Amino acid sequence: LPMAWFHMSLFSLLLGHPHDSVHACAKGIQLSISGHTIADALDQLQRLDAVKAELPGYDWIERLLLIGLAAKFSTDDALDKIKRLATKRCKPIQSPVVIAAGGCDSWVEGRMNTYRRLMLEAFRDFKGTVISGGTNAGISGLIGDVQAHYVDNITTLAYVPQKPRDVTIDKQRFREIRRTGGDDFSVLEPLQNWIDLIASGIDIDQVKLIGINGGKISAAEYRIGLALGAQVGIIEGSGRDAAKLLRDDDWNEIDSLLTMPADPATLRAFVGAGKSRLPDGIRDSIARSVHEAYLRMQSGQSAEPSMASWEELLDTLKESNRQAADHISAKLGQIGYDTRRVTDRDIIIRIFSKKEIEIMSEMEHGRWNNERIRDGWRFGKEKDVLNKISPCLVSWSELPDDVKGWDRELVQKIPVYLAEVGLEVYRV
């Protein structure tokens, strides 16, 4: 199958369809389980080197195959070539890394206020590098807003052609602008950012890509990210090539492709902050308490897998409770609290205000959404645990009030759960 896709890529290139060629090449890379397959495809392509000037997109495919070899199989020859192609006189990119890709057409501009809130909330906890297109329009313009809002935590990096047409490059807000050799925006810019990421030693499976709307370049960007093993979160309902990707049977079953609701708390959980999890002993103790509280709230409900005792609970559902425990520090930090160990007196059980409970409840639902989506769950009107279907995979505003009550109950009890392991919640 990989070679079939590489042949389709080559045929598309010969027919003058370079974007189709990129899609097929990316699929071949995604399916490859041996570096030899990609190396053979590269060898076939380079037989056309003498006429590459007559083949638009030749350089894209050549670079994409080298990127695939270096990222998936770390061959020394490919890594050496990647390092030679890396942007000169630039510092290595620092992790963690999030790529923001998407459109700048009038439809996106019309929803800009909605997406601005979404992106500002998504990066609230993030400290690292954000890569985007570098213009002041569309999704790139939103990343400029993110940089201006979180000046100390985020470093924005933009890839732009030497002579972009009919656009304004946002030199004021983006921390660094890296130029490619093209005359206008093309697939060359996202390819160069992957070259620089690999040359910087970034673990590709830790890279996250947020996709909103977008056209041909974004369509290629999404598929390249998936081919290399990045986590690609597509905002549901954002239209155009983002929506086409979610309907594309060649790509939509890949585990690292995540359909994200346009919910700020869910996207915030997806982007994350790179915080380490709790120590295992504390983690399991709190997770067990969280599950026991859930059982009390659901008493009298039907016997389904989530209603089992802790000892008989499915491993995936145990892990869900553990991740809820890990996220406690993020919730407390949002409302100005931290924890401390107390051994010389009784622990004071903090009582949260209604506003504090609501803030943390929305965060918990976003965390739960993200955790479920990454585990392969999808939305459905009827709950089916074994087939990973839930009616609750929606934004906080769409969640029924009785379900919101579960999240409120959980966060309200946080001081109790922590007290059981000797920790006290206090205001910073």
Side-chain angles (χ1 to χ4, degrees), residues 358-376:
E358 202 67 11
I359 290 170
M360 291 192 293
S361 297
E362 183 171 354
M363 289 179 68
E364 169 56 22
H365 181 63
R367 181 211 64 79
W368 182 89
N369 268 352
N370 179 61
E371 175 246 305
R372 282 293 194 269
I373 291 167
R374 292 177 68 171
D375 191 39

Side-chain angles (χ1 to χ4, degrees), residues 94-288:
Q94 299 299 308
S95 63
V97 175
V98 174
I99 300 170
C104 56
D105 68 336
S106 57
W107 189 90
V108 175
E109 292 294 335
R111 296 195 62 183
M112 198 53 67
N113 286 335
T114 299
Y115 288 137
R116 180 173 288 107
R117 175 174 175 263
L118 189 69
M119 297 300 271
L120 288 175
E121 185 66 18
F123 287 95
R124 181 185 289 272
D125 306 318
F126 183 75
K127 294 182 180 180
T129 305
V130 184
I131 298 174
S132 193
T135 70
N136 59 4
I139 304 308
S140 295
L142 292 184
I143 297 305
D145 292 343
V146 167
Q147 176 68 88
H149 202 77
Y150 303 114
V151 177
D152 297 327
N153 292 344
I154 288 174
T155 298
T156 44
L157 172 58
Y159 286 83
V160 301
Q162 287 288 353
K163 301 174 183 178
R165 302 172 192 167
D166 304 321
V167 296
T168 301
I169 303 302
D170 194 346
K171 297 178 181 178
Q172 300 300 316
R173 298 189 297 178
F174 277 80
R175 290 280 181 86
E176 184 182 355
I177 305 288
R178 297 190 180 184
R179 301 276 180 175
T180 65
D183 292 333
D184 201 1
F185 280 98
S186 71
V187 178
L188 192 59
E189 283 72 49
L191 288 172
Q192 190 63 43
N193 87 48
W194 284 111
I195 287 170
D196 289 353
L197 285 170
I198 295 166
S200 299
I202 301 294
D203 290 334
I204 301 303
D205 61 358
Q206 298 302 307
V207 175
K208 295 173 182 176
L209 189 155
I210 299 173
I212 302 178
N213 190 263
K216 286 185 176 181
I217 298 173
S218 299
E221 199 162 1
Y222 303 151
R223 288 165 175 81
I224 292 169
L226 289 169
L228 300 180
Q231 301 170 56
V232 178
I234 299 296
I235 303 303
E236 194 171 23
S238 62
R240 295 180 71 208
D241 278 271
K244 291 178 184 177
L245 177 67
L246 297 178
R247 298 192 301 267
D248 188 338
D249 291 338
D250 293 325
W251 294 94
N252 59 19
E253 295 297 325
I254 296 175
D255 290 342
S256 58
L257 175 61
L258 311 174
T259 305
M260 312 293 291
D263 175 57
T266 304
L267 199 60
R268 179 180 177 181
F270 171 68
V271 170
K275 295 181 180 178
S276 59
R277 71 183 197 179
L278 292 169
D280 286 343
I282 293 176
R283 192 175 190 243
D284 263 23
S285 178
I286 296 175
R288 181 189 288 262

